[in-house]
Amino acid sequence: AHILRMEEEMKELVTRLEALFSFIDVDNPIYMGLSTMQKDLLSIQCDAMTAYNKILHVRIENEYNILEASSKE
């Protein structure tokens, strides 16, 4: 059950990341109208979300490895 929650959380995070990547675009006039500080903060947020996505992926993979190992015992 906890693996499914992590998978759902990762799916939602990916959706949010895709939206953020789409927003952070030099062709987006709204983004280009933001202050340098706001753009920097969005970039930092994007980096943090990407790191969190990688962590969730590793945690999920690790849980499946544990389940696989315990099923072989």
Side-chain angles (χ1 to χ4, degrees):
H2 68 284
I3 298 173
L4 295 177
R5 285 193 303 269
M6 285 191 294
E7 288 175 330
E8 183 61 31
E9 186 173 348
M10 191 167 78
K11 181 181 172 184
E12 292 171 6
L13 180 61
V14 166
T15 300
R16 290 187 191 111
L17 260 172
E18 288 170 349
L20 183 55
F21 282 131
S22 293
F23 182 75
I24 299 176
D25 187 331
V26 293
D27 292 330
N28 180 350
I30 296 171
Y31 175 73
M32 293 310 295
L34 297 176
S35 70
T36 300
M37 181 179 204
Q38 289 171 316
K39 289 178 192 173
D40 289 346
L41 289 171
L42 282 172
S43 178
I44 293 166
Q45 177 179 332
C46 189
D47 291 345
M49 290 170 72
T50 300
Y52 183 44
N53 185 52
K54 289 176 183 176
I55 291 165
L56 279 173
H57 178 77
V58 171
R59 288 181 63 207
I60 291 166
E61 188 176 85
N62 184 59
E63 289 297 323
Y64 278 119
N65 288 340
I66 291 169
L67 284 175
E68 184 180 328
S70 66
S71 69
K72 292 179 180 179
E73 293 176 355

